[in-house]
């Protein structure tokens, strides 16, 4: 029987315990032997919970117990998660995590340490929740050069965009609804400002290029400026607004961005709604592929964590190779990226024509403003031209 420990007994940690209990027999069959939680590390106690007698408050109890070979980290944040995970790897224990903040910032270092100690550091649940995108990149798609990854990587914002589109509500109203349903945190900034999706596309890009991508350098916009008026124009255009995290290989390097886009019905991500996530991948040999499913939530994310645990048990005597060095890669200049832009403005047609030399106008029946789509142009050129107008809103137009 494999002895495991769970560090952090919140939503995901408790989900891991539930998955291990509910699917105990099938997990044992797939792993080759059973997996049992010996310790749960948390600052709190959980009276009445089945795991209460396993709760410890000192990380060293886990670190110093030779029986524990697999450790799950579901604490969130960089510290103390980083220190605890590093300690476990140094002690020769395998680790799996759902913590995107930890992986985005310290992934390369922890992967290198795991290799040195001939153990494994796996993190499938850190990007797509229950969607197996990382394992696919590391095994199934290794014959390809991945030229593009574009994803809806945050279930909270996708739920909010869907709700705004269907019900015609304003941002603040759907945020309150998302918080009431437990989709959004009390402080929702990581989701609605795009930071969560930014870390996830940084992780995916690092895996694709094999080098460290600094998520701080990725141009990131959230959904806080999207309004019910924007949704009216989107409906008039027959498009949907989605928060996309994208990474594309160009002659100048990888171009990464997180921002809302207006997608047409023939775009593969157009019909991804509510709390679902999806990742679109284009390989130079494979062509197009789509990964779709529950990108968040207790059990879908816990399912991915437990899948890592099974993988670890099956490979507990050797390191599973992950190509991700600490050498930092220079990203392509975001300002050189070319897009078409949808603009809402209170400026007149003459000013629009003077600034852009032509545009496709959209009439959504909103008094006192105009909506139009620009020709495709570099970001820096658009910034210069749009500065001549009274701009109410800007959303990039997807292909």
């Amino acid at each position: 029987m494999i002895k495991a420990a769970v560090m952090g007994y919140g939503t995901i940690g408790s989900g891991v315990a539930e998955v291990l209990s509910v699917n105990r027999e099938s997990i044992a069959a797939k792993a080759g032997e059973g997996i049992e939680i010996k310790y749960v590390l948390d600052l709190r106690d959980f009276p009445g919970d089945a795991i209460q007698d396993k709760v410890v408050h000192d990380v060293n109890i886990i670190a110093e117990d030779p029986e524990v070979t697999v450790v799950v980290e579901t604490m969130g944040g960089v510290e103390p998660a980083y220190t605890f995970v590093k300690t476990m790897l140094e002690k020769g224990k395998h680790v799996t995590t759902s913590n995107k903040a930890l992986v985005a910032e310290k992934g390369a270092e922890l992967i290198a340490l795991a290799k040195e100690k001939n153990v494994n550091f796996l993190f499938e649940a850190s990007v797509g929740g229950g969607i197996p995108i990382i394992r696919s990149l590391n095994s199934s798609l290794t014959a390809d050069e991945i030229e593009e990854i574009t994803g809806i990587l945050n279930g909270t914002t996708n739920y909010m965009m869907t709700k705004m589109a269907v019900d015609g509500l304003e941002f603040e109203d759907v945020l309150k609804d998302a918080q009431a349903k437990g989709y959004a945190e009390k402080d929702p900034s990581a989701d609605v400002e795009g930071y969560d999706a930014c870390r996830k596309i940084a992780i995916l890009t690092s895996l694709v290029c094999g080098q460290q991508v600094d998520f701080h350098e990725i141009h990131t916009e959230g959904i806080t400026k999207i309004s019910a008026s924007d949704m009216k124009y989107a409906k008039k255009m027959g498009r949907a607004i989605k928060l996309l995290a994208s990474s594309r290989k160009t002659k100048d390097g990888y171009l990464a961005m997180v921002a809302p886009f207006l997608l047409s019905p023939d775009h593969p991500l157009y019909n991804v709604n509510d709390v679902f996530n999806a990742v679109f991948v284009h390989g130079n040999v494979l062509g197009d592929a789509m990964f779709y499913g529950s990108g968040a939530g207790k059990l879908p994310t816990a399912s991915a964590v437990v899948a890592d645990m099974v993988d670890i048990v099956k490979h507990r005597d050797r390191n599973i190779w992950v190509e991700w060095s600490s050498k930092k890669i220079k990203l392509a200049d975001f300002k050189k990226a070319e897009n078409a832009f949808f603009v809402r403005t209170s400026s007149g047609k003459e000013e629009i024509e003077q600034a852009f030399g032509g545009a496709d106008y959209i009439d959504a029946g909103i008094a006192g403003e105009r909506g139009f789509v620009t020709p495709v142009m570099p970001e820096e050129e658009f910034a210069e031209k749009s500065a001549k107008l009274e701009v109410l809103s800007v959303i990039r137009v997807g292909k």
Side-chain angles (χ1 to χ4, degrees):
M1 179 71 72
I2 296 295
K3 303 293 185 181
V6 176
M7 300 192 299
Y9 198 66
T11 301
I12 309 305
S14 61
V16 169
E18 185 174 341
V19 171
L20 286 172
S21 176
V22 170
N23 290 338
R24 179 180 303 276
E25 292 182 6
S26 64
I27 289 168
K30 291 165 186 171
E33 60 183 294
I35 302 174
E36 178 182 79
I37 295 176
K38 184 173 184 179
Y39 300 114
V40 171
L41 176 72
D42 206 286
L43 293 173
R44 303 161 295 174
D45 285 303
F46 301 89
D49 194 302
I51 58 88
Q52 174 56 40
D53 62 341
K54 301 176 182 180
V55 173
V56 295
H57 306 301
D58 182 357
V59 70
N60 291 313
I61 293 174
I62 299 172
E64 299 300 331
D65 189 337
E67 272 199 338
V68 175
T69 56
V70 181
V71 178
V72 173
E73 187 277 305
T74 54
M75 301 167 64
V78 178
E79 285 292 359
Y82 165 68
T83 299
F84 290 178
V85 168
K86 186 177 180 182
T87 297
M88 298 304 161
L89 293 173
E90 287 174 337
K91 291 290 185 179
K93 302 181 189 298
H94 303 271
V95 177
T96 173
T97 181
S98 61
N99 187 343
K100 61 257 184 186
L102 173 67
V103 178
E105 190 162 320
K106 302 291 187 179
E109 178 187 341
L110 295 172
I111 288 168
L113 178 58
K115 289 176 183 175
E116 179 188 330
K117 297 297 181 179
N118 197 38
V119 292
N120 290 294
F121 175 67
L122 302 183
F123 43 93
E124 181 64 67
S126 67
V127 171
I131 303 172
I133 181 61
I134 290 176
R135 190 168 283 105
S136 297
L137 289 175
N138 285 337
S139 57
S140 303
L141 300 177
T142 51
D144 275 69
E145 286 188 18
I146 303 302
E147 298 177 333
E148 179 185 352
I149 297 179
T150 299
I152 294 172
L153 298 177
N154 184 276
T156 299
T157 52
N158 202 45
Y159 170 81
M160 291 172 66
M161 290 292 91
T162 303
K163 192 76 173 171
M164 288 180 73
V166 172
D167 296 342
L169 300 174
E170 292 290 355
F171 172 83
E172 292 298 333
D173 296 321
V174 296
L175 175 57
K176 289 176 184 176
D177 175 70
Q179 288 172 323
K181 286 184 168 67
Y183 297 147
E185 301 288 343
K186 184 176 180 181
D187 177 4
S189 56
D191 294 325
V192 300
E193 297 290 355
Y195 306 144
D196 176 81
C198 174
R199 286 176 171 84
K200 291 174 178 178
I201 198 64
I203 292 168
L204 293 177
T205 307
S206 296
L207 290 170
V208 166
C209 70
Q211 295 178 229
Q212 179 68 30
V213 173
D214 186 346
F215 63 88
H216 295 103
E217 296 180 356
I218 296 176
H219 178 82
T220 302
E221 301 173 20
I223 63 168
T224 56
K225 295 179 181 178
I226 303 297
S227 67
S229 294
D230 293 317
M231 291 297 178
K232 287 181 181 178
Y233 280 100
K235 189 173 182 179
K236 189 73 175 181
M237 298 164 70
R239 289 177 175 262
I241 302 174
K242 303 291 184 183
L243 182 67
L244 299 186
S246 62
S247 176
R248 182 165 48 86
K249 190 175 184 181
T250 73
K251 61 181 178 61
D252 299 315
Y254 285 87
L255 177 65
M257 179 192 305
V258 176
F261 275 78
L262 280 154
L263 302 184
S264 66
D266 58 357
H267 193 286
L269 298 174
Y270 175 87
N271 284 313
V272 179
N273 293 313
D274 296 316
V275 294
F276 283 92
N277 284 189
V279 184
F280 167 80
V281 176
H282 180 82
N284 69 329
V285 177
L286 169 72
D288 297 341
M290 253 289 262
F291 299 82
Y292 172 86
S294 298
K298 177 178 180 176
L299 294 181
T301 305
S303 172
V305 173
V306 174
D308 274 351
M309 297 176 77
V310 171
D311 215 9
I312 283 169
V313 173
K314 291 164 70 175
H315 299 87
R316 62 183 179 275
D317 296 324
R318 67 181 179 90
N319 174 261
I320 300 170
W321 181 261
V322 178
E323 182 60 32
W324 181 351
S325 79
S326 58
K327 182 181 178 181
K328 186 176 170 182
I329 191 169
K330 182 177 174 58
L331 295 174
D333 186 358
F334 152 78
K335 294 178 182 178
K336 306 296 183 185
E338 294 191 348
N339 288 293
F341 300 83
F342 165 72
V343 183
R344 287 173 47 222
T345 178
S346 57
S347 300
K349 278 191 176 183
E350 185 176 340
E351 293 170 283
I352 295 170
E353 299 294 335
Q354 286 178 348
F356 289 96
D360 292 329
Y361 293 94
I362 299 100
D363 183 3
I366 300 176
E369 66 178 67
R370 289 175 175 80
F372 67 94
V373 176
T374 72
V376 174
M377 62 185 65
E379 293 275 345
E380 56 188 356
E381 181 182 340
F382 172 76
E384 180 183 338
K385 291 181 174 181
S386 62
K388 301 172 184 177
L389 305 178
E390 294 295 327
V391 174
L392 303 173
S393 177
V394 175
I395 305 173
R396 291 166 186 83
V397 180
K399 295 177 181 178

